Amino acid sequence: MEQVIIIGTGCAGYTAAIYTARANLKPLMLSGTQPGGQLTTTTEVENFPGHPEGIMGPELMVRMQKQAERFGTRIAYEMVESVSLLADGGFAVKTGSASYEAKTVIIATGAAPRHMGLPNEQSLIGRGLTSCATCDGAFYPDVPVAVIGGGDSACEEAGFLTRFASKVYLIHRRDELRASKIMADRALANPKIEPVWNSTVTEYLTDEKGEMRAVKLKNLVTGAESEMDVKCVFVAIGHVPNSGFLGGLVDLDENGYILQTPGRTATKTPGLFAAGDVADHYYRQAITAAGQGCAAALEAERYLSEHEGH
Ligand code: NAP
Protein backbone atom coordinates (compact mmCIF):
# COMPACT_ATOMS: atom_id res chain seq x y z
CA MET A 1 0.00 0.00 0.00
CA GLU A 2 1.27 3.48 -0.90
CA GLN A 3 1.78 6.05 1.86
CA VAL A 4 0.42 8.82 -0.29
CA ILE A 5 -1.13 9.13 -3.73
CA ILE A 6 -1.31 12.60 -5.26
CA ILE A 7 -3.93 13.00 -7.97
CA GLY A 8 -3.04 15.78 -10.40
CA THR A 9 0.25 17.25 -11.63
CA GLY A 10 -0.27 21.01 -11.48
CA CYS A 11 1.35 23.44 -9.04
CA ALA A 12 -0.52 22.01 -6.04
CA GLY A 13 0.28 18.40 -6.94
CA TYR A 14 3.99 18.93 -7.61
CA THR A 15 4.48 20.95 -4.45
CA ALA A 16 2.75 18.21 -2.43
CA ALA A 17 5.05 15.72 -4.18
CA ILE A 18 8.23 17.67 -3.37
CA TYR A 19 7.29 17.85 0.31
CA THR A 20 6.08 14.26 0.72
CA ALA A 21 9.05 12.92 -1.24
CA ARG A 22 11.49 14.83 0.97
CA ALA A 23 9.64 13.35 3.97
CA ASN A 24 10.50 9.93 2.50
CA LEU A 25 6.86 9.02 1.83
CA LYS A 26 7.69 7.97 -1.77
CA PRO A 27 4.63 9.62 -3.30
CA LEU A 28 2.92 8.23 -6.36
CA MET A 29 1.42 10.87 -8.65
CA LEU A 30 -1.38 10.12 -11.11
CA SER A 31 -1.21 12.75 -13.80
CA GLY A 32 -4.67 12.97 -15.37
CA THR A 33 -5.19 14.10 -18.94
CA GLN A 34 -3.31 17.37 -18.72
CA PRO A 35 0.09 16.73 -17.16
CA GLY A 36 1.43 19.97 -15.74
CA GLY A 37 -2.02 21.47 -15.32
CA GLN A 38 -3.26 24.88 -16.40
CA LEU A 39 0.15 26.57 -16.48
CA THR A 40 1.06 24.43 -19.48
CA THR A 41 -1.49 26.49 -21.45
CA THR A 42 -0.01 29.87 -20.53
CA THR A 43 2.97 31.77 -21.87
CA GLU A 44 5.02 33.88 -19.50
CA VAL A 45 4.41 33.72 -15.75
CA GLU A 46 5.55 37.00 -14.22
CA ASN A 47 4.26 36.62 -10.68
CA PHE A 48 5.75 33.35 -9.44
CA PRO A 49 8.31 34.43 -6.81
CA GLY A 50 11.92 33.61 -7.55
CA HIS A 51 11.71 34.32 -11.29
CA PRO A 52 12.41 38.06 -11.58
CA GLU A 53 12.58 37.91 -15.38
CA GLY A 54 9.47 35.74 -15.60
CA ILE A 55 9.36 32.11 -16.68
CA MET A 56 7.33 30.31 -19.33
CA GLY A 57 4.47 28.30 -17.77
CA PRO A 58 5.41 24.96 -19.37
CA GLU A 59 9.06 25.40 -18.29
CA LEU A 60 8.01 26.13 -14.71
CA MET A 61 6.01 22.91 -14.64
CA VAL A 62 8.88 20.84 -16.10
CA ARG A 63 11.15 22.28 -13.39
CA MET A 64 8.61 21.39 -10.68
CA GLN A 65 8.37 17.86 -12.08
CA LYS A 66 12.18 17.46 -12.06
CA GLN A 67 12.32 18.74 -8.48
CA ALA A 68 9.64 16.24 -7.41
CA GLU A 69 11.36 13.35 -9.22
CA ARG A 70 14.75 14.27 -7.78
CA PHE A 71 13.48 13.17 -4.35
CA GLY A 72 11.88 9.94 -5.56
CA THR A 73 8.38 10.87 -6.73
CA ARG A 74 6.93 8.37 -9.21
CA ILE A 75 4.50 9.58 -11.87
CA ALA A 76 1.96 7.38 -13.65
CA TYR A 77 0.31 8.97 -16.68
CA GLU A 78 -3.18 7.72 -15.92
CA MET A 79 -6.61 9.21 -15.43
CA VAL A 80 -8.26 8.48 -12.08
CA GLU A 81 -11.85 7.27 -12.41
CA SER A 82 -12.77 6.77 -8.75
CA VAL A 83 -11.56 6.91 -5.17
CA SER A 84 -13.23 4.79 -2.51
CA LEU A 85 -12.64 3.73 1.08
CA LEU A 86 -11.12 0.33 1.85
CA ALA A 87 -12.75 -1.75 4.59
CA ASP A 88 -9.58 -1.84 6.71
CA GLY A 89 -8.72 1.86 6.26
CA GLY A 90 -7.04 3.69 3.44
CA PHE A 91 -8.22 4.29 -0.10
CA ALA A 92 -8.64 2.42 -3.37
CA VAL A 93 -7.76 4.61 -6.35
CA LYS A 94 -8.89 3.24 -9.71
CA THR A 95 -7.68 4.45 -13.07
CA GLY A 96 -8.73 3.22 -16.53
CA SER A 97 -5.98 0.59 -16.47
CA ALA A 98 -4.93 -0.03 -12.85
CA SER A 99 -5.97 -0.01 -9.22
CA TYR A 100 -3.86 1.40 -6.39
CA GLU A 101 -4.18 1.49 -2.62
CA ALA A 102 -2.96 4.30 -0.38
CA LYS A 103 -3.11 5.35 3.25
CA THR A 104 -3.61 8.98 2.29
CA VAL A 105 -4.71 10.75 -0.88
CA ILE A 106 -4.13 14.36 -1.91
CA ILE A 107 -6.61 15.62 -4.50
CA ALA A 108 -4.94 18.27 -6.69
CA THR A 109 -6.96 17.86 -9.87
CA GLY A 110 -7.51 21.55 -10.56
CA ALA A 111 -10.30 22.96 -12.66
CA ALA A 112 -11.24 22.84 -16.33
CA PRO A 113 -12.50 25.70 -18.48
CA ARG A 114 -16.29 26.10 -18.46
CA HIS A 115 -18.13 25.99 -21.79
CA MET A 116 -21.45 27.52 -22.83
CA GLY A 117 -23.28 24.19 -23.11
CA LEU A 118 -24.31 24.73 -26.74
CA PRO A 119 -25.20 21.65 -28.81
CA ASN A 120 -22.28 21.43 -31.29
CA GLU A 121 -19.48 22.69 -29.05
CA GLN A 122 -17.78 19.32 -28.54
CA SER A 123 -17.29 18.87 -32.30
CA LEU A 124 -15.97 22.45 -32.61
CA ILE A 125 -13.26 22.25 -30.00
CA GLY A 126 -10.02 22.68 -31.93
CA ARG A 127 -12.00 23.76 -35.04
CA GLY A 128 -12.61 27.35 -34.03
CA LEU A 129 -13.65 26.90 -30.42
CA THR A 130 -11.11 27.02 -27.61
CA SER A 131 -10.45 28.25 -24.08
CA CYS A 132 -6.79 29.02 -24.54
CA ALA A 133 -5.71 32.13 -26.41
CA THR A 134 -2.04 31.45 -25.78
CA CYS A 135 -2.40 27.97 -27.29
CA ASP A 136 -4.54 28.79 -30.30
CA GLY A 137 -4.44 32.57 -30.91
CA ALA A 138 -1.63 32.39 -33.46
CA PHE A 139 -3.73 30.09 -35.67
CA TYR A 140 -6.10 33.00 -36.43
CA PRO A 141 -4.02 35.82 -37.95
CA ASP A 142 -5.79 38.75 -39.62
CA VAL A 143 -9.33 37.46 -39.06
CA PRO A 144 -12.02 38.56 -36.59
CA VAL A 145 -12.35 36.45 -33.43
CA ALA A 146 -14.53 36.66 -30.33
CA VAL A 147 -13.96 36.21 -26.61
CA ILE A 148 -16.95 35.33 -24.41
CA GLY A 149 -16.79 36.56 -20.80
CA GLY A 150 -16.21 39.70 -18.78
CA GLY A 151 -13.67 38.67 -16.15
CA ASP A 152 -9.89 39.03 -15.91
CA SER A 153 -9.41 35.94 -18.06
CA ALA A 154 -11.59 37.33 -20.85
CA CYS A 155 -9.76 40.67 -20.81
CA GLU A 156 -6.36 39.00 -20.72
CA GLU A 157 -7.25 36.62 -23.56
CA ALA A 158 -8.70 39.47 -25.63
CA GLY A 159 -5.56 41.58 -25.16
CA PHE A 160 -3.32 38.68 -26.15
CA LEU A 161 -5.43 37.94 -29.24
CA THR A 162 -4.98 41.48 -30.58
CA ARG A 163 -1.44 40.43 -31.51
CA PHE A 164 -2.88 38.20 -34.25
CA ALA A 165 -6.54 38.86 -35.00
CA SER A 166 -7.82 41.74 -37.15
CA LYS A 167 -10.47 42.45 -34.51
CA VAL A 168 -11.46 40.96 -31.16
CA TYR A 169 -15.11 41.13 -30.09
CA LEU A 170 -15.51 40.89 -26.32
CA ILE A 171 -18.99 39.45 -25.80
CA HIS A 172 -20.30 39.96 -22.28
CA ARG A 173 -23.74 39.25 -20.85
CA ARG A 174 -23.86 42.53 -18.88
CA ASP A 175 -22.85 46.13 -19.62
CA GLU A 176 -20.03 46.21 -17.08
CA LEU A 177 -16.95 44.02 -16.92
CA ARG A 178 -16.32 41.87 -13.87
CA ALA A 179 -12.55 42.15 -14.43
CA SER A 180 -10.29 44.15 -12.11
CA LYS A 181 -10.17 47.84 -13.03
CA ILE A 182 -6.66 47.73 -14.46
CA MET A 183 -7.45 44.76 -16.73
CA ALA A 184 -10.84 46.18 -17.78
CA ASP A 185 -9.39 49.63 -18.56
CA ARG A 186 -6.58 48.09 -20.58
CA ALA A 187 -9.00 45.98 -22.63
CA LEU A 188 -11.45 48.81 -23.27
CA ALA A 189 -8.65 51.17 -24.30
CA ASN A 190 -7.36 48.72 -26.92
CA PRO A 191 -8.56 49.89 -30.35
CA LYS A 192 -8.67 46.31 -31.66
CA ILE A 193 -11.07 45.16 -28.92
CA GLU A 194 -14.76 45.89 -29.44
CA PRO A 195 -17.06 45.15 -26.51
CA VAL A 196 -20.44 43.62 -27.30
CA TRP A 197 -22.52 44.37 -24.22
CA ASN A 198 -25.60 42.66 -22.79
CA SER A 199 -25.20 39.81 -25.22
CA THR A 200 -24.92 36.06 -25.20
CA VAL A 201 -23.96 33.52 -27.84
CA THR A 202 -26.91 31.23 -28.58
CA GLU A 203 -25.43 29.24 -31.45
CA TYR A 204 -22.09 28.43 -33.07
CA LEU A 205 -22.46 28.46 -36.87
CA THR A 206 -20.16 26.34 -39.02
CA ASP A 207 -18.93 26.30 -42.61
CA GLU A 208 -19.01 23.34 -44.99
CA LYS A 209 -15.86 21.90 -43.34
CA GLY A 210 -17.50 21.95 -39.93
CA GLU A 211 -15.33 24.84 -38.73
CA MET A 212 -16.50 27.99 -36.94
CA ARG A 213 -17.68 30.72 -39.31
CA ALA A 214 -19.97 32.87 -37.14
CA VAL A 215 -21.92 33.09 -33.89
CA LYS A 216 -25.58 33.84 -33.35
CA LEU A 217 -26.01 36.54 -30.71
CA LYS A 218 -28.95 37.48 -28.57
CA ASN A 219 -29.16 40.89 -26.94
CA LEU A 220 -30.37 40.16 -23.42
CA VAL A 221 -31.94 43.61 -23.00
CA THR A 222 -33.79 44.02 -26.30
CA GLY A 223 -34.10 40.35 -27.26
CA ALA A 224 -32.74 41.20 -30.73
CA GLU A 225 -30.88 38.43 -32.54
CA SER A 226 -27.96 38.90 -34.91
CA GLU A 227 -25.08 37.05 -36.53
CA MET A 228 -21.41 37.95 -36.22
CA ASP A 229 -18.70 36.52 -38.49
CA VAL A 230 -15.81 35.15 -36.44
CA LYS A 231 -13.32 32.42 -37.25
CA CYS A 232 -12.64 31.48 -33.67
CA VAL A 233 -14.40 31.82 -30.32
CA PHE A 234 -12.36 31.91 -27.10
CA VAL A 235 -14.53 30.99 -24.13
CA ALA A 236 -13.44 32.62 -20.85
CA ILE A 237 -16.44 32.20 -18.57
CA GLY A 238 -14.75 30.65 -15.57
CA HIS A 239 -13.82 27.11 -14.61
CA VAL A 240 -15.39 23.91 -13.37
CA PRO A 241 -13.46 22.07 -10.63
CA ASN A 242 -12.44 18.50 -11.47
CA SER A 243 -14.12 16.97 -8.43
CA GLY A 244 -16.79 14.75 -9.95
CA PHE A 245 -15.00 11.42 -9.43
CA LEU A 246 -14.94 11.47 -5.62
CA GLY A 247 -18.44 10.24 -4.86
CA GLY A 248 -19.53 11.03 -1.31
CA LEU A 249 -16.00 11.15 0.13
CA VAL A 250 -15.99 14.95 0.01
CA ASP A 251 -18.58 17.69 0.39
CA LEU A 252 -18.80 20.11 -2.52
CA ASP A 253 -20.08 23.68 -2.64
CA GLU A 254 -22.82 24.64 -5.10
CA ASN A 255 -20.23 25.06 -7.88
CA GLY A 256 -18.50 21.74 -7.28
CA TYR A 257 -15.47 23.01 -5.33
CA ILE A 258 -14.30 20.65 -2.56
CA LEU A 259 -15.06 21.95 0.93
CA GLN A 260 -12.05 21.84 3.25
CA THR A 261 -11.94 22.11 7.03
CA PRO A 262 -11.61 25.90 7.54
CA GLY A 263 -7.98 26.98 7.37
CA ARG A 264 -6.82 23.47 6.47
CA THR A 265 -6.64 21.18 3.47
CA ALA A 266 -8.42 18.30 5.22
CA THR A 267 -11.76 17.15 3.76
CA LYS A 268 -14.59 15.43 5.61
CA THR A 269 -12.89 12.05 5.09
CA PRO A 270 -9.87 11.46 7.35
CA GLY A 271 -6.73 10.92 5.28
CA LEU A 272 -8.16 12.66 2.21
CA PHE A 273 -6.80 16.15 1.50
CA ALA A 274 -7.56 18.70 -1.21
CA ALA A 275 -5.28 21.43 -2.57
CA GLY A 276 -5.30 24.02 -5.32
CA ASP A 277 -7.99 25.04 -7.80
CA VAL A 278 -10.20 21.99 -7.13
CA ALA A 279 -10.90 23.52 -3.72
CA ASP A 280 -10.17 27.21 -4.30
CA HIS A 281 -12.52 29.38 -6.30
CA TYR A 282 -11.22 32.56 -4.70
CA TYR A 283 -7.48 33.00 -5.31
CA ARG A 284 -6.82 30.57 -8.19
CA GLN A 285 -3.15 31.48 -8.47
CA ALA A 286 -0.17 29.25 -9.15
CA ILE A 287 1.51 30.32 -5.93
CA THR A 288 -1.58 29.81 -3.75
CA ALA A 289 -2.08 26.36 -5.30
CA ALA A 290 1.56 25.57 -4.54
CA GLY A 291 1.08 26.78 -0.96
CA GLN A 292 -1.94 24.54 -0.53
CA GLY A 293 0.01 21.62 -1.98
CA CYS A 294 2.64 22.18 0.70
CA ALA A 295 -0.03 22.37 3.41
CA ALA A 296 -1.71 19.17 2.20
CA ALA A 297 1.65 17.36 2.22
CA LEU A 298 2.35 18.45 5.81
CA GLU A 299 -1.15 17.41 6.88
CA ALA A 300 -0.82 14.01 5.19
CA GLU A 301 2.56 13.49 6.84
CA ARG A 302 1.13 14.33 10.28
CA TYR A 303 -1.92 12.14 9.67
CA LEU A 304 0.35 9.21 8.84
CA SER A 305 2.56 9.65 11.87
CA GLU A 306 -0.46 10.01 14.19
CA HIS A 307 -2.42 7.08 12.74
CA GLU A 308 0.19 4.66 11.48
CA GLY A 309 3.71 5.71 12.27
CA HIS A 310 6.06 5.49 9.32
P1 NAP B 1 -14.61 35.04 -13.42
O1 NAP B 1 -13.96 36.17 -12.73
O2 NAP B 1 -15.50 34.10 -12.68
O3 NAP B 1 -15.41 35.65 -14.66
C1 NAP B 1 -16.23 34.85 -15.46
C2 NAP B 1 -16.93 35.75 -16.47
O4 NAP B 1 -17.70 34.93 -17.32
C3 NAP B 1 -17.87 36.76 -15.82
O5 NAP B 1 -17.78 37.99 -16.47
C4 NAP B 1 -19.24 36.11 -16.02
O6 NAP B 1 -20.26 37.05 -16.20
C5 NAP B 1 -19.05 35.36 -17.31
N1 NAP B 1 -19.91 34.17 -17.38
C6 NAP B 1 -20.00 33.16 -16.48
N2 NAP B 1 -20.87 32.23 -16.90
C7 NAP B 1 -21.33 32.67 -18.10
C8 NAP B 1 -22.25 32.15 -19.05
N3 NAP B 1 -22.87 30.98 -18.87
N4 NAP B 1 -22.49 32.88 -20.16
C9 NAP B 1 -21.86 34.06 -20.38
N5 NAP B 1 -20.98 34.61 -19.53
C10 NAP B 1 -20.70 33.90 -18.40
O7 NAP B 1 -13.53 34.06 -14.12
P2 NAP B 1 -12.07 34.40 -14.69
O8 NAP B 1 -12.07 35.60 -15.54
O9 NAP B 1 -11.61 33.10 -15.28
O10 NAP B 1 -11.21 34.73 -13.40
C11 NAP B 1 -11.16 33.80 -12.33
C12 NAP B 1 -10.17 34.26 -11.26
O11 NAP B 1 -8.83 34.27 -11.78
C13 NAP B 1 -10.45 35.66 -10.77
O12 NAP B 1 -10.16 35.70 -9.40
C14 NAP B 1 -9.48 36.51 -11.54
O13 NAP B 1 -9.16 37.72 -10.89
C15 NAP B 1 -8.28 35.57 -11.65
N6 NAP B 1 -7.49 35.90 -12.84
C16 NAP B 1 -6.50 36.83 -12.69
C17 NAP B 1 -5.74 37.19 -13.79
C18 NAP B 1 -4.63 38.18 -13.62
O14 NAP B 1 -4.61 38.86 -12.61
N7 NAP B 1 -3.71 38.31 -14.53
C19 NAP B 1 -5.99 36.65 -15.05
C20 NAP B 1 -7.03 35.73 -15.18
C21 NAP B 1 -7.78 35.37 -14.06
P3 NAP B 1 -20.77 37.98 -14.97
O15 NAP B 1 -19.71 39.02 -14.80
O16 NAP B 1 -22.06 38.50 -15.48
O17 NAP B 1 -20.93 37.05 -13.80
Side-chain angles (χ1 to χ4, degrees), residues 295-306:
L298 296 177
E299 286 188 59
E301 196 185 328
R302 278 177 205 163
Y303 175 90
L304 286 166
S305 47
E306 279 164 20

Side-chain angles (χ1 to χ4, degrees), residues 6 21 32 66 89 105 124 133 153 164 217 233 248 252 288 294 299 305 309:
I6 299 164
K66 281 188 184 154
V105 173
L124 273 169
S153 297
F164 314 101
L217 290 173
V233 176
L252 305 177
T288 51
C294 163
E299 286 188 59
S305 47

Side-chain angles (χ1 to χ4, degrees), residues 1 11 13 22 73 102 111 131 143 173 183 188 193 196 202 224 228 240 268 306:
M1 183 180 276
C11 289
R22 291 192 73 254
T73 301
S131 293
V143 291
R173 61 184 177 183
M183 304 277 282
L188 296 176
I193 297 177
V196 182
T202 54
M228 174 187 278
V240 182
K268 75 168 186 184
E306 279 164 20

Side-chain angles (χ1 to χ4, degrees), residues 114 116 148-154 156 172-174 178 183 236-239 282 284-285:
R114 187 194 305 281
M116 293 291 288
I148 308 177
D152 281 337
S153 297
E156 192 170 68
H172 184 35
R173 61 184 177 183
R174 296 186 292 131
R178 174 178 295 279
M183 304 277 282
I237 59 169
H239 287 78
Y282 190 71
R284 297 192 53 247
Q285 300 300 305

Side-chain angles (χ1 to χ4, degrees), residues 136-154:
D136 298 323
F139 297 135
Y140 299 93
D142 305 318
V143 291
V145 301
V147 174
I148 308 177
D152 281 337
S153 297

